[in-house]
Amino acid sequence: MAEDSLEAARRRLAALPDDSAAECTPARHLEKDAALLGRLLTAAAAASRRQDGGQCEDLADEVAAGLSLFDQMRLALDQLETRVVVEARRCEMDWKQISQHQGFRSSQAASQRYQRLTTRLEEIRQGIR
């Protein structure tokens, strides 16, 4: 998807009303975790500059904590993507339209992506993964 299209999508979604009661949603957790990772990378860059490009051993525990967030973030992102695709289908979008917005070249690719996501999420729910 072109950068102009991404910015247009962001502006369109930013115009939606903000629901502060939705603080416990997967999207909010993902947003907060991404912000924490941004803070970690800023701190690591500052530590590297202070140590003339050397290792930043003093941030090892923070880096480890950051790494531990990714599995849950991937799960939350998969859940969000699945819910948005379900919403697209509910709004009578066909797979071709969905594929175009997701950057896939075919409706089959979008449908297969959705099937992989739902299978993965179900396996996680059942404790298989």
Side-chain angles (χ1 to χ4, degrees):
M1 187 177 280
E3 192 64 31
D4 290 345
S5 297
L6 289 174
E7 283 307 312
R10 288 181 180 117
R11 280 192 305 275
R12 186 172 191 94
L13 294 173
L16 291 171
D18 189 16
D19 183 5
S20 59
E23 280 297 313
C24 296
T25 66
R28 292 286 192 220
H29 290 294
L30 192 58
E31 179 182 17
K32 288 177 183 179
D33 288 348
L36 291 172
L37 291 171
R39 290 172 59 184
L40 167 65
L41 293 175
T42 299
S48 288
R49 284 191 301 274
R50 282 193 308 272
Q51 298 175 2
D52 298 323
Q55 298 293 331
C56 46
E57 293 92 10
D58 55 331
L59 285 176
D61 290 340
E62 287 80 3
V63 170
L67 290 170
S68 70
L69 295 178
F70 283 100
D71 200 36
Q72 190 62 35
M73 289 176 73
R74 280 188 192 92
L75 175 62
L77 197 55
D78 288 351
Q79 289 170 332
L80 288 169
E81 183 177 350
T82 301
R83 290 171 64 183
V84 172
V85 171
V86 167
E87 192 63 26
R89 296 293 289 156
R90 192 182 71 72
C91 292
E92 299 183 5
M93 289 177 70
D94 61 32
W95 286 109
K96 183 174 181 166
Q97 292 170 308
I98 293 169
S99 70
Q100 291 169 345
H101 291 287
Q102 288 186 306
F104 293 121
R105 294 180 184 216
S106 72
S107 57
Q108 182 181 9
S111 176
Q112 288 173 344
R113 166 78 176 160
Y114 174 74
Q115 289 302 316
R116 283 192 304 274
L117 285 173
T118 56
T119 299
R120 178 177 182 269
L121 292 171
E122 183 58 22
E123 288 174 351
I124 290 170
R125 189 187 71 75
Q126 292 180 9
I128 297 171
R129 281 192 184 209

